[in-house]
Amino acid sequence: MTDSTRTVTATVLRTQDEVEAHIRAICFKTGPPTLLGAELEWTLHSSVAPSAPLRPAVLRDALGRHTPVTLGSPVPPDPLPAGGTLTVEPGGQVEISSAPATSLPSLHAAVSADKAYLTQLLGEAGLSLGEHGADPYREPRRILRTPRYDAMEQAFDARGPHGRVMMSSTAGLQVCLDPGDDPLRWAAASALGPPLVAAFANSRRHAGRDTGLASARMAAWWAMDPRLTHPVPVTGDPAGAWARYALDAPLTCVRRDGACWDAPPGLTLRDWAEGALPWALTPGDVDYHLSLLFPPVRPRGYLEVRYLDAQPGDDWIVPVAVLTTLLDDPATALDLAAPTAGRWLEAARLGLADPALRRTAAALLDLACRRLDGTGLSPTVRAQIVSFIERLPWEGSQ
């Protein structure tokens, strides 16, 4: 399946039950949690004029042999020196996806090396990485033109401007963790969302103005279609809950021959499974649909935690270490996080100025700090994490 042509494979999913069985088979890996990873995304700016529009040709020249196909490379890009892969998002945001690591220290070393390499590569072209979860200087402007992104923009525009902001003006920090055999890890990863969004909110300014929000990035995601971006219900059957979420989610784009992949308005994956489209539904179509769902925690064989704002400089390790450490004991994390598990909107709007979220975040981060010695991180990095947490606005001011 290419990004411009729909190819029907021999396998066809003919019923909702077959679709659900396929989703169940691919979304949760069993076994003890052993691997972790991180995806670091940044807005990109001219080093001397950060509000200037980003020119695709300048970015292509800067990235050289690491230029993704979506930005015009005729061949797949080379990996970064420590094994990470580089992608470019619709508004020109750059993202490093780490190779899977077996420990926090190895993840920290690899991502730090790739980030330093990318920073130098961009710096030589007069470009610099942003330090916030939303572009503080510019209005959304898409520089990538692909059938996927065209269809996404068309679908999101039907509900307002927030989809364009998400696509072209935001930068997140994603943490990827094995789900493990304990269903409490899935529940805890979701419940931790609001207090950690509040603690690491880093996107108050957008497009030259003070939004008044702690996390304008999270607020943009939350204001989109809730069937695409709100949390998956936490039940005793995580795979079943995810399958139902996917079936009831609207189609954002449908791959087919030609440049237009716009989805029929209002049509869901369930409708397609029931024969609402003239094309057979294949496992590849289902997988592509899953890639267009953006809940705060997304199961992809691993748990992709998507709710954190990008962090400045080398402080990306702080929320990664906190989340990884807390999920080593999901029962305790869930118990501490449960009182504020549903306060997503308050987290985006108020951050730690919300008293309930401030109390929950303080308890969780205190626990994480007390357990840092067991992570294997160096004393210097552990001190960096503790110092960052101590500097958070615990008095509740925005």
Side-chain angles (χ1 to χ4, degrees):
M1 194 82 72
T2 70
D3 214 31
S4 59
T5 304
R6 183 175 188 277
T7 304
V8 177
T9 62
T11 303
V12 174
L13 302 176
R14 303 184 185 279
T15 67
Q16 290 183 40
D17 288 344
E18 290 180 352
V19 173
E20 181 170 344
H22 173 73
I23 294 173
R24 282 179 174 273
I26 64 173
C27 65
F28 284 91
K29 184 180 73 173
T30 58
T34 56
L35 298 177
L36 66 155
E39 298 178 20
L40 278 63
E41 184 182 14
W42 301 271
T43 58
L44 196 59
H45 307 272
S46 163
S47 300
V48 296
S51 61
L54 182 64
R55 291 189 292 155
V58 172
L59 182 53
R60 279 194 296 270
D61 290 344
L63 296 180
R65 60 192 176 89
H66 304 291
T67 301
V69 173
T70 52
L71 193 60
S73 173
V75 296
D78 286 351
L80 297 173
T85 57
L86 188 68
T87 54
V88 175
E89 298 301 315
Q93 308 97 310
V94 292
E95 179 178 273
I96 292 175
S97 298
S98 76
T102 56
S103 69
L104 268 174
S106 60
L107 178 68
H108 181 253
V111 173
S112 296
D114 280 345
K115 178 178 176 292
Y117 175 83
L118 177 62
T119 299
Q120 180 177 351
L121 202 66
L122 295 170
E124 292 169 353
L127 299 172
S128 59
L129 300 173
E131 294 196 334
H132 301 277
D135 189 331
Y137 305 105
R138 301 170 299 207
E139 295 285 350
R141 175 178 173 267
R142 186 157 62 96
I143 70 168
L144 296 187
R145 301 288 167 181
T146 68
R148 174 187 173 99
Y149 294 142
D150 290 348
M152 288 172 66
E153 188 172 270
Q154 171 79 11
F156 296 158
D157 280 353
R159 287 187 64 94
H162 309 288
R164 290 192 181 215
V165 173
M166 177 278 288
M167 289 177 68
S168 298
S169 287
T170 62
L173 168 60
Q174 297 175 22
V175 187
C176 304
L177 302 146
D178 284 341
D181 295 321
D182 187 347
L184 290 182
R185 266 174 79 84
W186 163 255
S190 182
L192 287 168
L196 295 189
V197 167
F200 297 107
N202 184 37
S203 54
R204 183 179 174 114
R205 296 191 62 83
H206 174 237
R209 64 186 182 275
D210 185 344
T211 66
L213 303 166
S215 175
R217 172 189 170 272
M218 189 65 202
W221 283 101
W222 196 258
M224 293 171 61
D225 191 325
R227 296 171 296 174
L228 297 174
T229 64
H230 283 207
V232 181
V234 175
T235 71
D237 178 18
W242 175 234
R244 290 187 291 275
Y245 186 102
L247 283 162
D248 291 334
L251 300 171
T252 301
C253 69
V254 177
R255 294 176 299 172
R256 49 187 179 266
D257 292 341
C260 181
W261 291 6
D262 292 356
L267 217 63
T268 66
L269 181 63
R270 191 183 301 276
D271 296 328
W272 193 353
E274 293 176 346
L277 290 178
W279 307 291
L281 178 61
T282 71
D285 293 321
V286 174
D287 295 348
Y288 204 75
H289 174 69
L290 296 179
S291 77
L292 290 159
L293 305 180
F294 307 106
V297 183
R298 181 167 66 175
R300 303 185 60 187
Y302 53 89
L303 301 183
E304 183 184 72
V305 177
R306 305 177 51 84
Y307 45 69
L308 295 164
D309 281 357
Q311 300 298 303
D314 294 328
D315 285 334
W316 63 270
I317 189 58
V318 181
V320 174
V322 165
L323 187 61
T324 303
T325 301
L326 290 173
L327 287 179
D328 284 342
D329 183 0
T332 301
L334 183 59
D335 183 58
L336 291 174
T340 55
R343 297 183 70 83
W344 293 95
L345 188 55
E346 292 85 354
R349 287 178 173 173
L350 300 172
L352 293 178
D354 181 272
L357 286 166
R358 188 165 65 249
R359 287 192 297 271
T360 302
L364 290 166
L365 295 181
D366 177 69
L367 176 63
C369 286
R370 286 188 279 113
R371 293 183 173 178
L372 284 176
D373 287 351
T375 63
L377 292 169
S378 71
T380 300
V381 176
R382 297 201 306 270
Q384 173 193 350
I385 293 169
V386 172
S387 176
F388 181 103
I389 291 170
E390 289 176 344
R391 295 194 309 270
L392 290 173
W394 293 116
E395 297 306 315
S397 60
Q398 289 198 66

